[in-house]
Amino acid sequence: EMQRSLVGSEMCIRDRVHMIRVFSTHNIRECKELTGRIWNLRLFNGTDDGKNYSVFTPCCWESIPDLAAYRGKGEFSTSFYAGGNIRLEFKGVSHTATVYVDDCEVVTHYNAYTGFDVILKGLDEGIHTLTVVADNSFSKQSALHIPNDYKSYGGVTRPVVLEKLNDLYIRQMHVRTENDGTGRWMAHVEIKVQNLSDRKQAAELFISIDKDKEKIVGCENEISIEAGQEITIVRDLSCHGVSEWTQSSPELYMINAELYVNGKAEDDLTDRFGFREIVVEGSKILLNGKPVRIKGVCRHEDHPQYGCALPCEAMAYDLTLIKDLGANSVRTTHYPNDERFLDMCDEMGILVWEENHARGLNEESMMNPFFEPQAEQVITEMIESHYNHPCIYIWGILNECASETEYGRKCYAAQFELIRKMDTTRPCSFASCRIKNDICLDLPDVVSFNIYPQWYLDIPVKEYLDDLYEWIQDDTPGTGKPFLITETGAGGLYGYRNPEHSKWTEEYQAYALEKQLTSILANSGCMGVYIWQFCDNRVSEECFAGRPRTMNNKGIVDEFRRHKLSYDVVKRIYQSDI
Ligand code: ADA
């Protein structure tokens, strides 16, 4: 009997669902994390056929010394006990996944940084094998993962969850909050329910919002769904006496949807949200009516031991340092992040610029026929899955791509259109490096530039910034929009110091950042700045030029999170009132 339950006895020792999100998302639906334990990894790269490794998963195979430089395919496998309707959810496989259950291919997915799932109906009860072939090789078919200034690792890099479903299944729940201007809040709830069975079914759907188990509001709905169909239920719940989500007081609420069929529990889904509105007004972004001032860091998901598969504790440590710096925002360069990181940002009041996956693509790379569909798929998956996070205040796309070309412009326009169709509650932007030749500044809600005076260009920061700002205001349709510096920084090798404070020393990096941050934050037309970057990260071999150690060394902490001299400089500036 014990074995029949997916949850099993492990649940008593550790609530494993907490490894997927930082709170439980189901009470009724049975779930079990399949990761958080040892899987088998077998390589097949032609020469190494059949070599097996026991690896704690999630992981990047680069963490295994033998495989530190391996690029190709790796077959991850484990087994699970289940029967009936099963849903497998993969939070991230890098970068292409082909999934098999009992040797039968069930789903494929491209791109490391968004999740995907598969539902298997009527699985025989018993032990089944799950095999995930991860592939991190570069090819024309991979338009987003290319040799780049960060590494495309290989592996099952984020958690995998097994869920047992009944006939009716709550596929998605989005909450949008709106203030009527008098302090009263409305929660607009949109829930998608699927009928997996081959007959029409009726059910009761209970929706409720609570805080610390205390109910705020709720409603009951009679629903009926045709065989094999999905319906969308939309409800507006007015919420009295709730507290707003702000950066200093990030109050969070739970929303629960529960389905009952003939009085019997069928399915449920819980998520978290905050009461807050983001509005662009003139050259400002307002969070619940107050202008947002960004003191931020760009961050890669990268760590010498874990690659991109950081465990929760390592993510939390990064956030501890980010808070210590006095920073209030993170830009998820250059891809959607692990959802547990976003969960923690929700709790800590850290604003997030969440970015679609794409960095530094020129026109030719954007013309790859695989590019636009792949980029649009990541946007769709990112917004669908992260819609409820109050910390996300802006969607970013296409970092430093070909926004100076007509073809590039078409892609920017198409992607902004897609975002606005999916989410009307957040502004969108892109980080440009096309100084004085960007032709896309009419498209975003916020005009953003990456600038490197004092590093790539020996020009005083103020002069450079004033010149850029004037050009935007005088000669472009970006005039009057909020203006943000999405990157600035300098390289500094940890431990490298010399008396002349030359470039690459810790001293020079600290000097450059001081100049950059003080000039940018003193510019009243600019709503804030993101430092490039939080920590040093590994880059592809192909990017070795200008990248000593095959690392991007512009972190204010190195890859082990050891503080460079610049750390205290940034901390002093970010903690001041500037
Ligand atoms: C770019 C880019 C970053 C990084 C940075 C640098 O602007 O967006 O990914 O490569 O420059 O270090 O030069």
Side-chain angles (χ1 to χ4, degrees):
E1 191 50 44
M2 201 57 170
Q3 238 198 341
R4 276 170 196 276
S5 156
L6 288 177
V7 174
S9 56
E10 275 162 284
M11 216 44 185
C12 308
I13 305 164
R14 181 161 71 114
D15 190 347
R16 312 198 74 179
V17 173
H18 282 185
M19 302 306 286
I20 322 278
R21 300 291 301 275
V22 303
F23 56 92
S24 297
T25 47
H26 303 283
N27 279 315
I28 296 172
R29 192 187 304 173
E30 283 184 63
C31 324
K32 181 181 166 69
E33 186 186 346
L34 297 180
T35 39
R37 64 190 198 200
I38 302 285
W39 287 38
N40 188 71
L41 168 60
R42 189 173 69 93
L43 285 193
F44 44 99
N45 63 351
T47 55
D48 214 358
D49 266 7
K51 188 150 186 204
N52 288 281
Y53 298 85
S54 296
V55 290
F56 185 89
T57 306
C59 72
C60 299
W61 57 60
E62 288 83 355
S63 300
I64 303 166
D66 263 6
L67 307 181
Y70 178 69
R71 186 165 291 285
K73 289 184 182 173
E75 183 188 86
F76 286 77
S77 53
T78 189
S79 61
F80 62 87
Y81 186 95
N85 294 341
I86 294 301
R87 175 171 177 261
L88 291 165
E89 184 181 9
F90 303 83
K91 299 291 274 189
V93 175
S94 187
H95 59 56
T96 296
T98 313
V99 179
Y100 304 82
V101 171
D102 302 329
D103 298 327
C104 182
E105 185 179 316
V106 293
V107 64
T108 62
H109 181 260
Y110 172 70
N111 133 68
Y113 307 113
T114 45
F116 59 98
D117 68 353
V118 59
I119 292 175
L120 305 173
K121 289 199 255 180
L123 200 67
D124 288 340
E125 179 148 342
I127 295 190
H128 300 275
T129 58
L130 171 64
T131 308
V132 182
V133 176
D135 184 355
N136 71 341
S137 44
F138 297 131
S139 70
K140 189 180 173 204
Q141 282 69 35
S142 169
L144 307 176
H145 287 274
I146 56 169
N148 218 326
D149 205 11
Y150 56 93
K151 203 169 159 83
S152 281
Y153 289 98
V156 175
T157 51
R158 292 180 184 168
V160 178
V161 197
L162 166 66
E163 298 179 348
K164 182 159 171 45
L165 302 180
N166 291 310
D167 287 344
L168 300 186
Y169 149 64
I170 304 170
R171 187 175 69 80
Q172 191 184 81
M173 175 164 66
H174 284 170
V175 192
R176 176 167 61 83
T177 56
E178 199 179 330
N179 194 311
D180 71 357
T182 68
R184 271 199 305 264
W185 284 95
M186 187 72 98
H188 303 280
V189 185
E190 192 188 284
I191 297 177
K192 295 192 188 298
V193 184
Q194 260 179 26
N195 180 357
L196 301 176
S197 76
D198 50 17
R199 62 200 164 82
K200 184 173 173 170
Q201 302 239 20
E204 281 189 297
L205 173 69
F206 295 93
I207 306 170
S208 67
I209 290 173
D210 72 76
K211 184 168 179 62
D212 305 326
K213 304 268 179 220
E214 208 165 297
K215 187 165 163 185
I216 311 286
V217 62
C219 71
E220 275 179 47
N221 311 274
E222 302 289 336
I223 61 168
S224 110
I225 318 177
E226 298 295 329
Q229 296 299 303
E230 176 172 289
I231 60 164
T232 303
I233 298 111
V234 180
R235 291 289 176 269
D236 292 338
L237 303 177
S238 56
C239 303
H240 297 287
V242 294
S243 311
E244 298 181 355
W245 187 93
T246 62
Q247 293 209 262
S248 54
S249 177
E251 300 283 349
L252 294 167
Y253 289 78
M254 308 305 291
I255 177 153
N256 312 294
E258 291 187 353
L259 268 180
Y260 288 83
V261 173
N262 298 323
K264 209 173 140 276
E266 177 83 359
D267 195 28
D268 72 338
L269 180 60
T270 297
D271 206 352
R272 237 175 29 176
F273 70 101
F275 289 94
R276 62 115 185 82
E277 268 181 346
I278 305 279
V279 175
V280 171
E281 208 177 88
S283 63
K284 302 211 165 355
I285 296 182
L286 306 179
L287 166 62
N288 288 337
K290 300 211 179 68
V292 167
R293 172 111 174 123
I294 297 294
K295 294 176 177 177
V297 294
C298 296
R299 175 179 171 271
H300 268 298
E301 291 182 320
D302 199 47
H303 192 286
Q305 283 163 329
Y306 310 114
C308 67
L310 273 72
C312 242
E313 290 80 352
M315 297 176 207
Y317 184 65
D318 285 355
L319 286 169
T320 301
L321 296 185
I322 287 165
K323 273 278 184 192
D324 177 59
L325 284 165
N328 63 10
S329 186
V330 174
R331 181 174 161 232
T332 70
T333 45
H334 298 296
Y335 36 77
N337 271 21
D338 190 306
E339 194 160 14
R340 295 167 298 177
F341 184 79
L342 300 173
D343 280 340
M344 291 189 272
C345 289
D346 286 340
E347 292 180 4
M348 295 170 81
I350 293 176
L351 290 175
V352 174
W353 161 307
E354 180 146 72
E355 189 153 294
N356 180 38
H357 186 203
R359 178 203 169 273
L361 303 177
N362 59 19
E363 188 180 32
E364 189 191 338
S365 307
M366 292 177 94
M367 282 177 164
N368 176 343
F370 290 94
F371 165 70
E372 195 49 31
Q374 289 177 349
E376 292 197 8
Q377 184 199 328
V378 181
I379 288 176
T380 305
E381 292 170 342
M382 169 177 80
I383 297 181
E384 276 187 359
S385 56
H386 295 167
Y387 186 90
N388 294 337
H389 287 279
C391 66
I392 300 173
Y393 78 105
I394 191 167
W395 300 115
I397 58 168
L398 297 172
N399 171 78
E400 295 194 352
C401 295
S403 54
E404 82 290 16
T405 69
E406 282 304 331
Y407 186 83
R409 186 183 155 81
K410 282 197 194 121
C411 302
Y412 277 90
Q415 293 184 26
F416 281 131
E417 192 185 325
L418 173 63
I419 292 176
R420 290 181 176 123
K421 227 168 35 208
M422 295 188 69
D423 185 1
T424 54
T425 71
R426 292 173 175 96
C428 38
S429 188
F430 67 98
S432 174
C433 64
R434 309 296 168 189
I435 311 278
K436 299 209 178 171
N437 63 351
D438 197 302
I439 57 165
C440 295
L441 300 184
D442 56 320
L443 301 174
D445 301 304
V446 174
V447 170
S448 309
F449 274 86
N450 298 342
I451 62 168
Y452 287 89
Q454 300 286 358
W455 181 249
Y456 293 123
L457 299 160
D458 288 316
I459 302 177
V461 184
K462 186 174 172 342
E463 189 183 307
Y464 188 79
L465 183 64
D466 288 351
D467 191 37
L468 169 64
Y469 186 72
E470 268 163 40
W471 170 70
I472 295 167
Q473 302 310 319
D474 297 348
D475 299 323
T476 80
T479 180
K481 293 185 183 185
F483 172 57
L484 190 57
I485 295 298
T486 28
E487 284 178 31
T488 196
L493 297 166
Y494 181 84
Y496 178 49
R497 302 191 188 179
N498 65 29
E500 67 267 38
H501 297 178
S502 60
K503 280 190 173 174
W504 298 110
T505 60
E506 286 195 41
E507 289 96 342
Y508 185 82
Q509 185 195 33
Y511 163 83
L513 271 164
E514 167 128 41
K515 294 268 178 237
Q516 292 162 336
L517 296 183
T518 48
S519 300
I520 294 166
L521 290 171
N523 182 315
S524 59
C526 183
M527 57 165 280
V529 61
Y530 287 96
I531 290 169
W532 184 271
Q533 62 174 337
F534 173 65
C535 59
D536 291 350
N537 70 282
R538 264 196 266 184
V539 307
S540 310
E541 287 288 326
E542 294 83 347
C543 295
F544 75 95
R547 296 289 178 263
R549 314 189 302 138
T550 337
M551 305 277 298
N552 185 308
N553 298 290
K554 296 188 190 72
I556 55 170
V557 296
D558 78 349
E559 63 275 28
F560 295 101
R561 277 56 176 172
R562 295 180 298 186
H563 301 190
K564 301 182 192 171
L565 285 180
S566 57
Y567 185 97
D568 284 330
V569 170
V570 171
K571 182 169 168 174
R572 174 167 43 77
I573 296 169
Y574 273 6
Q575 287 193 349
S576 73
D577 289 335
I578 187 175

